[in-house]
Amino acid sequence: MELRYWLERGVEDFRAWTQSYADYAAHPAMAVEEGACAAAFEELTARLRGSYPFFHPCYAGQMLKPPHPVAVAGYLAAMLVNSNNHALDGGPATSAMEEEVVDRLAAMFGFEEHLGHLTSSGTQANLEALFVARESHPGKGVAVGVEGHYTHTRMCHLLGVQVHMVAADDRGRMDTAALERVLSTGTVGTVVATTGTTALGAVDPLHRIVPLARRHGARVHVDAAYGGFFALLADDEPPGALVTREAWQAIAHCDSVVIDPHKHGLQPYGCGAVIFRDPDIARFYRHDSPYTYFTSDRPHLGEISLECSRSGASAAALWLTLELLPLSRKGLGGVLAAGRRAALRWAGLIEESPHLELYQPPELDIVTYYPSCTPAALSRIGATSNDVMRRGMNAEEDPVFLSTARIGAADFTARHSDVIVDTGHAHILRSVLMKPESELYLERLHPRVEGLAKDSTRTPLEEWAHEYGIPRSPAG
Ligand SMILES: *Cc1c(COP(=O)(O)O)cnc(C)c1O
């Protein structure tokens, strides 16, 4: 896939289409001078170099990576048209593509009947699910896991919905006993579960949450913004299965699900999705707009979404991507499997390393770890973790980009009872291995991070010896 070729093709095909209409004169008000354009463009690309190298596997930090070239080509081709998927009047061609990709996402989750649409983000998609939660169970609150995304609480505040926080178990998953206690108060209308938490990639036990919620008359919304596409791996047979299938299969029995194609779906930003199992929830969106919706009696996407203008190019980019990397184990599933295998392998290498400790076994492709310190006090773990991150990203040669997560003392000791608690919380290192290239790059990434950890955890005596070039004793 030669990106340059397809970008040019998109421009040419667009031009050919415009030429099928009558000639018209370009307006001088729109003219830009070539020289000025070159200078400004050069400044733009120079300034963009101030970004972190999200494209490279040495960037093993946050949930960031460039879109697939296919998505870029699809986006550009449609962006030249600049359709608006709010209404069929704004984007007849791309609205049809949106309906098709939403059908495919729904099928991936095992939803037969459904109603859904793309959104500009996972936050917006969850807002819509929380809005429907409020409308369908007026006066009732929402139960959210403590490891759930921070925007749930924020959006519930916006909606005037009460939030009940549910404790997590010692792997960061929603604790079902704690959920049962919250549900038994009778004040919960909807449970928000997360399959793939943002910090740890923990997968809530949806297969146990769904029957529990049903017993108490509550709905279930799944925030699969990050983890949703791992459903493609759920049919793998053990042994060798990369994810535990029950939670993913239980999504089919939930009331709504959110997924972010701009995270694991290879898309540029501006692409989330919300899907409801009951098409009847459309009634909560009912509104009238005197200045849109002209050309069709077919429902417009804007009639079932809270946003108004929304990029049709997002739908086109996702449509083209799914044509070439379909929602199957062999298609997009292969991309997710590589990151998952990388996480498993790195976790193994970390466990064997004398310089690193694994915080908890990864459930998806997010690895959490920290430098081995003596004494293993939280303050020192936090300081050395931050030191490793900073020195990694500031290195002139062979930089490596990691991120950190803040962990409370109680959560830490639930996993590592031997750490010395001398502060309320500590940062640990966190790497999201969402690029399949990470799998091969581990050969370089692991020794590099291990070396940084080794340097960050030197004792004062070792530091002194290092400064004067005195080799370490053979014992270590
Ligand atoms: C990223 C994320 C969100 C928020 O999605 P945005 O697209 O960043 O708005 C919500 N929930 C989870 C689990 C996420 O990982």
Side-chain angles (χ1 to χ4, degrees), residues 63 120-124 126 148-149 151-152 194-198 223-227 258 260 262-263 269 271-272:
M63 295 168 173
S120 56
S121 72
T123 302
Q124 176 66 34
N126 278 313
H149 202 264
T151 50
H152 300 317
T194 307
T195 49
T197 61
T198 314
D223 181 3
Y226 184 70
V258 156
D260 260 356
H262 69 202
K263 277 187 183 145
Y269 282 115
C271 195

Side-chain angles (χ1 to χ4, degrees), residues 215-230:
R215 229 178 300 139
H216 289 88
R219 302 167 69 256
V220 181
H221 167 62
V222 194
D223 181 3
Y226 184 70
F229 288 104
F230 282 96

